[in-house]
Amino acid sequence: MSVPDEKGLYFSIYSFLSHFLEKAKKLKIVAFCGAGISAPSGVPTFRGRPDSLWARYRPEDLANINALLSKPDLVWSWYKWRLELIFEKHPNSAHYILSDLEREKILIGIITQNVDPYHEWAGNRTVIHLHGSIVQARCLECESLVHWKEPPKEIPPRCFNCGGLLRPNVVFFGEMLPPRALEEANFLLQEANLMLVIGTSGVVYPAAGYVPAFRKLSSQNRIMEFNLESTPLTPTCDLSVLGDVSKTLPIFKQALDGVLSDKNPN
Ligand code: BJW
Ligand code: ZN
């Protein structure tokens, strides 16, 4: 599949948004994000990562409570490696575009599957972490919470309070998503009329179900996907923008600014 050049991309997004805004009274965007938004920062994605030391492991084999209990050194080495990367790298232009949009009151919030803190570091305030946070850990015995300021030195890390084994404060496979996050995400879906699906393979449920759910909520709702490639969610989206999100989201923002200023010239 060919990726249009920047001008072509600008005009297809401009045309899509200008048609949408002819009918919609107000623009309320919700972003639904996955690991692809942090890939340009240098944080590897979960699937299709041949460059990674950890590529021979499936995420299902590591993000799993049985794996943590039976092989805590292996699982924590993976999380420690990821924490080192996350602390070393930074948010990229795609994160900053979302923070600009929230400051301008166009974006009402982000529903993210990501466990990194880059949206908050970029300045976003309404960020719903469906799969928890990698910069936190909690004790399997006493539930004490730890906030990492740097990666743990000892593997596996132990609770400062009772010495119990700590687990990353993330949602492993087979575990329920935090009920409060689900509630807040549902609220954003009800409020928004445009969803940006950014850098997710759309294969992990129940998160991926938010895209068809948003579609069903209103016939006025529109969905744009930003990804390097097509995904199982592409047929549910109204526009698929192919390319690196650190390049395509700035073009989206330029096109949106263009439409808004053409609509309301001074
Ligand atoms: C770029 C780019 C660039 C790259 N520019 N694009 C229904 C059907 C089938 C299975 C299930 C189902 N419902 C539930 C399940 C089971 C399971 C599941 O979904 N399995 C599937 C894999 C088959 N789900 C669960 O187990 C969930 N829990 C649950 O269902 O509980 C039920 C329950 C009920 C009652 C009692 C108890 C339980 C929990 C799922 C938790 C997922 N956890 C992980 C790990 C989190 C912790 C950690 O980080 O370590 O979450 S797995 C991993 O995948 C992580 C991610 O958030 C998640 C999604 O991945 P994501 O973000 O989409 O990344 P990738 O790598 O897959 O894709 C990256 C994309 O970016 C690609 O498309 C690239 O092309 C693109 N990209 N660079 C633009 N520069
Ligand atoms: Zn403890």
Side-chain angles (χ1 to χ4, degrees):
M1 208 176 306
S2 71
V3 178
D5 61 15
E6 285 188 14
K7 236 179 181 175
L9 218 53
Y10 177 93
F11 285 114
S12 70
I13 297 172
Y14 182 99
S15 149
F16 176 84
L17 290 172
S18 101
H19 279 112
F20 176 56
L21 287 170
E22 264 168 32
K23 297 218 175 93
K25 282 202 194 82
K26 203 158 183 214
L27 178 58
K28 290 190 175 188
I29 298 179
V30 61
F32 174 64
C33 299
I37 195 170
S38 298
S41 298
V43 178
T45 59
F46 291 92
R47 296 164 188 86
R49 347 146 254 161
D51 53 329
S52 153
L53 183 66
W54 291 92
R56 63 200 162 103
Y57 292 96
R58 295 184 319 144
E60 290 87 330
D61 297 335
L62 295 167
N64 165 332
I65 190 67
N66 294 325
L68 178 72
L69 295 175
S70 59
K71 295 176 200 141
D73 287 353
L74 173 74
V75 172
W76 264 111
S77 306
W78 184 50
Y79 280 98
K80 183 176 177 189
W81 171 71
R82 290 173 57 201
L83 276 164
E84 281 165 355
L85 267 176
I86 285 165
F87 280 119
E88 185 186 308
K89 313 281 182 186
H90 308 279
N92 63 67
S93 55
H95 295 103
Y96 285 109
I97 291 293
L98 295 184
S99 117
D100 290 347
L101 286 168
E102 186 178 19
R103 205 169 336 96
E104 292 165 19
K105 302 201 186 318
I106 296 172
L107 178 94
I108 59 169
I110 298 173
I111 304 172
T112 186
Q113 299 167 83
N114 296 346
V115 295
D116 67 55
Y118 287 171
H119 287 301
E120 289 85 348
W121 289 6
N124 280 95
R125 285 162 179 260
T126 307
V127 185
I128 295 158
H129 285 274
L130 292 176
H131 294 162
S133 165
I134 198 170
V135 292
Q136 296 175 358
R138 69 173 195 267
C139 176
L140 286 172
E141 306 297 328
C142 74
E143 294 277 315
S144 290
L145 205 59
V146 175
H147 295 257
W148 302 119
K149 295 237 161 24
E150 56 181 356
K153 297 213 164 52
E154 278 168 35
I155 293 294
R158 296 266 159 199
C159 175
F160 62 91
N161 190 30
C162 76
L165 180 64
L166 291 178
R167 61 163 287 171
N169 196 23
V170 299
V171 179
F172 286 148
F173 280 101
E175 293 182 336
M176 294 264 265
L177 276 57
R180 179 135 181 242
L182 293 174
E183 233 170 74
E184 290 172 348
N186 280 326
F187 175 78
L188 289 181
L189 291 197
Q190 305 275 351
E191 288 290 299
N193 59 359
L194 177 66
M195 176 183 268
L196 309 182
V197 180
I198 304 171
T200 176
S201 58
V203 297
V204 174
Y205 280 82
Y210 279 121
V211 179
F214 182 69
R215 161 108 288 150
K216 281 201 200 102
L217 272 175
S218 160
S219 61
Q220 314 292 311
N221 284 352
R222 292 291 177 268
I223 308 174
M224 299 176 75
E225 182 180 52
F226 296 81
N227 202 303
L228 287 177
E229 58 190 27
S230 296
T231 73
L233 298 173
T234 308
T236 312
C237 298
D238 299 291
L239 186 71
S240 160
V241 179
L242 294 176
D244 179 332
V245 287
S246 68
K247 305 275 182 323
T248 55
L249 275 190
I251 296 173
F252 165 81
K253 180 70 166 72
Q254 281 172 19
L256 177 60
D257 289 346
V259 173
L260 293 175
S261 73
D262 291 348
K263 231 180 138 214
N264 307 306
N266 292 322

